[in-house]
Amino acid sequence: MDIAKRFEQNPLLSPKNILPSMVGMEIECLLNPGVFRCNNKTWLLLRVAERPQQVEGKISFPVYNKEGVVEILCFDENDADLDLSDPRIVIYKGEYYLTTLSHLRLVCSDDQINFAETEGYAPIMGVGSQETFGIEDCRVATMDDGYHLTYTKVSAHGVGVGYIQTKDWKQFDRCGMIFPPHNKDCAIFEEQINGKYYALHRPSSPELGGNYIWIAESPDRIHWGNHQLLAKTRAGKWDSARLGAGASPIRTEKGWLEIYHGATKEHRYCLGALLLDLNDPSILLARSEEPIMEPIMEYEKTGFFGNVVFTNGHIVSGDTITIYYGASDEVICGAEFSISEILQSLNY
């Protein structure tokens, strides 16, 4: 059940539309933008994944070294100790690396369709030992006191959730890691509930438990506690292997509406929805039985990592949710949903 109204102009952005961050690098993928409104424009905070220009017979990829400088590692393609079975990962002698290094880049639009970079806004790059493999998939929560960014910090030490505050997108207050490894897909609610901040997050426990959505509360958006399980994977369904939050939940008359992603063990990613109680969002009221969006278009089925639709950013106007999403881990696309149509589709 795909009820998305995709933009006719899709894909809106592809790797050729963005310049690399440094000489000698090429952009492999654009992924999963955070979304916000500022100065009467729609902005996307893209995840830009890049790597060195490849040489035949070699595999090279970038990491930040101990000095915080990008270092290029290079191996022979036929090295017996090299495992390249997943295009996203390099395994060498049991050590895991990423084939690309991601950072965050701002683009904006007057019409919500045509996006371009604008002068005066620098990329957000990885910093420090917790981000040596880059930073990924940023959600943007817009509140009265500014913009609140939750993103994935990636290093050999693990994958955790970082938090950044900004008011003008030029000065950034990096607040460190707020959810330790292994955790990602963190979306902060854009208003307090009964004097508390809430966030959805996704700890991973493959040996006991699974890749489930949890909810936590906080007095200050830094210190999080009272963690509670919110939604689990479902055997035999489209979200059987893992699931995770999209952007900040949307207040509706019936409850908080959360667009989330789910995947199978074959790594087919779809979108669905959860409905949470307005006064106690740890209470799950309803959920999608079938996806509200599936990878059915050619640009969603084929690409760097095919059969993927993944969102962590949207804007809301009346009954319309405009989502911006990553397709096949390569290009950026847009689609619209009706809130009332989503609510009617849920299993209460």
Side-chain angles (χ1 to χ4, degrees):
M1 183 186 68
D2 189 304
I3 58 173
K5 299 175 180 63
R6 291 165 175 80
F7 289 5
E8 293 180 359
Q9 298 87 350
N10 283 347
L12 305 180
L13 290 166
S14 63
K16 65 182 180 183
N17 300 125
I18 302 294
L19 293 174
S21 67
M22 62 187 71
V23 175
M25 298 284 272
E26 60 185 7
I27 294 179
E28 190 76 13
C29 321
L30 302 181
L31 306 100
N32 317 335
V35 183
F36 61 97
R37 292 280 296 172
C38 182
N39 298 329
N40 296 315
K41 298 178 185 290
T42 299
W43 295 72
L44 306 183
L45 186 56
L46 305 174
R47 172 183 165 192
V48 177
E50 55 187 3
R51 66 175 184 172
Q53 297 171 355
Q54 299 297 292
V55 176
E56 186 175 352
K58 301 287 185 180
I59 293 294
S60 59
F61 52 90
V63 298
Y64 289 109
N65 61 24
K66 292 181 180 179
E67 288 73 42
V69 176
V70 173
E71 179 180 337
I72 306 302
L73 303 184
C74 186
F75 300 95
D76 288 329
E77 195 173 56
N78 297 321
D79 193 318
D81 292 317
L82 200 61
D83 182 349
L84 303 173
S85 57
D86 188 324
R88 302 167 299 178
I89 298 170
V90 174
I91 307 174
Y92 185 72
K93 293 185 177 180
E95 294 291 326
Y96 284 72
Y97 304 91
L98 300 185
T99 55
T100 60
L101 186 65
S102 291
H103 65 276
L104 307 177
R105 197 87 69 88
L106 284 162
V107 297
C108 70
S109 172
D110 293 314
D111 60 9
Q112 300 187 16
I113 293 172
N114 298 288
F115 288 87
E117 292 187 88
T118 187
E119 291 184 4
Y121 296 92
I124 304 175
M125 312 297 289
V127 175
S129 62
Q130 296 176 350
E131 300 176 358
T132 52
F133 290 0
I135 56 178
E136 304 177 353
D137 296 351
C138 186
R139 282 93 172 146
V140 179
T142 302
M143 303 188 195
D144 291 341
D145 60 348
Y147 302 94
H148 301 266
L149 287 58
T150 50
Y151 65 97
T152 306
K153 298 162 73 79
V154 189
S155 75
H157 306 316
V159 176
V161 176
Y163 174 40
I164 293 174
Q165 299 178 4
T166 186
K167 293 182 183 295
D168 58 7
W169 295 97
K170 296 184 178 182
Q171 300 294 322
F172 297 93
D173 181 13
R174 291 184 182 246
C175 302
M177 184 179 284
I178 57 173
F179 291 100
H182 188 288
N183 207 312
K184 60 194 313 187
D185 298 333
C186 177
I188 297 178
F189 287 61
E190 292 184 315
E191 61 183 84
Q192 289 180 284
I193 304 169
N194 299 319
K196 299 174 182 177
Y197 296 102
Y198 283 85
L200 306 177
H201 63 107
R202 209 285 297 282
S204 296
S205 179
E207 288 79 23
L208 185 63
N211 297 308
Y212 307 149
I213 297 177
W214 288 63
I215 189 167
E217 61 186 49
S218 170
D220 57 8
R221 295 170 295 210
I222 300 289
H223 306 91
W224 295 90
N226 195 20
H227 302 270
Q228 298 181 65
L229 177 61
L230 191 64
K232 298 173 65 173
T233 52
R234 299 177 292 186
K237 290 189 176 293
W238 58 276
D239 51 6
S240 58
R242 69 190 69 84
L243 64 159
S248 300
I250 301 161
R251 175 186 276 277
T252 75
E253 291 183 354
K254 291 191 174 183
W256 294 101
L257 181 64
E258 172 62 20
I259 309 300
Y260 76 98
H261 66 267
T264 63
K265 62 181 177 62
E266 292 81 22
H267 309 298
R268 184 175 189 265
Y269 281 78
C270 300
L271 301 183
L274 307 173
L275 188 66
L276 313 177
D277 187 84
L278 282 176
N279 294 313
D280 183 356
S282 68
I283 298 173
L284 178 62
L285 301 176
R287 184 172 179 179
S288 297
E289 280 296 309
E290 301 297 330
I292 61 173
M293 187 176 192
E294 304 182 58
I296 56 176
M297 303 299 287
E298 191 62 30
Y299 53 78
E300 298 164 350
K301 294 190 292 183
T302 60
F304 182 75
F305 196 78
N307 288 316
V308 172
V309 290
F310 189 107
T311 186
N312 45 250
H314 60 236
I315 55 176
V316 179
S317 177
D319 184 60
T320 301
I321 306 172
T322 302
I323 71 160
Y324 294 91
Y325 66 99
S328 292
D329 278 5
E330 185 170 329
V331 294
I332 304 301
C333 303
E336 291 182 346
F337 292 89
S338 160
I339 291 176
S340 57
E341 190 174 4
I342 294 175
L343 292 174
Q344 290 170 11
S345 75
L346 301 180
N347 183 28
Y348 290 84

